[in-house]
Amino acid sequence: FYKHDVWYDTWIKIKDLIPKGMTLYGEIVGYVGEESGTKFIQKDYDYGCELGKNRFLVYRITITNEDGIVFELNPQHVLDWCKSVGLETVFEKAEYLTITDGMNIFEYVKNMPHMEKDCPFCVNKVPFEGYVVRKVCLDLEAYKVKANAFYERETKLLDKGEVDMEEAN
């Protein structure tokens, strides 16, 4: 799909930061390739990166012990650990919401800031993607709530046969 292996390049940059047993999950945003042949990783979404540059943003960390038992770090731990080693996260701060009986979490998220506005992280004018709703517990439970404008844009591109790097793999 691309001449440049952005995943390998990212791995080389971060591999010495990751202790044995730890697994990082993240997203590479921005561009792939040199300035003359650069392409968006996600069509039109620059995420504030300079032309030809990209960033690795961590969204999840697990630690697997010698017995193969996997422990999930909560969002605040992910944020703190990444900050301690100089990595970025997909969230600027961990926010916790107490779920009460009868609460519709998806309706709550739909009314959060930026949900139906332009992406506050991009220089280009593109719709905000949405939020990930994550249940903080031993077994990971997470859901992505996409903004309507983002979902409509994504659907139109797919209908035209345009698949970005993020969706191709």
Side-chain angles (χ1 to χ4, degrees), residues 11-144:
W11 167 245
I12 292 300
K13 290 177 193 173
I14 67 171
K15 68 183 177 95
D16 294 334
L17 301 173
I18 308 168
K20 185 178 178 182
M22 182 180 276
T23 303
L24 303 184
Y25 299 82
E27 186 170 1
I28 302 169
V29 298
Y31 301 92
V32 171
E34 302 301 319
E35 286 190 33
S36 59
T38 202
K39 295 183 179 182
F40 288 104
I41 291 172
Q42 184 178 3
K43 186 175 173 59
D44 299 326
Y45 282 78
D46 58 69
Y47 282 96
C49 295
E50 295 177 26
L51 187 63
K53 305 285 184 192
N54 57 58
R55 297 163 44 210
F56 175 65
L57 305 173
V58 177
Y59 61 81
R60 179 181 178 206
I61 298 177
T62 60
I63 298 174
T64 307
N65 72 12
E66 294 175 349
D67 296 326
I69 298 171
V70 179
F71 297 91
E72 187 82 33
L73 272 62
N74 73 37
Q76 188 62 55
H77 291 142
V78 172
L79 185 68
D80 292 344
W81 185 84
C82 286
K83 186 176 181 181
S84 77
V85 297
L87 292 176
E88 294 181 85
T89 63
V90 295
F91 39 81
E92 293 178 25
K93 61 180 181 171
E95 294 185 24
Y96 298 93
L97 170 67
T98 303
I99 306 298
T100 58
D101 287 340
M103 182 176 196
N104 184 329
I105 189 64
F106 295 101
E107 285 304 314
Y108 177 85
V109 172
K110 286 283 186 188
N111 294 314
M112 289 180 77
H114 306 298
M115 195 59 177
E116 295 302 333
K117 297 180 181 175
D118 291 337
C119 181
F121 310 111
C122 292
V123 174
N124 293 339
K125 185 177 174 161
V126 289
F128 179 62
E129 279 193 67
Y131 289 97
V132 173
V133 176
R134 178 177 161 179
K135 182 178 178 183
V136 178
C137 59
L138 289 178
D139 296 321
L140 177 67
E141 200 172 313
Y143 308 93
K144 185 166 187 177

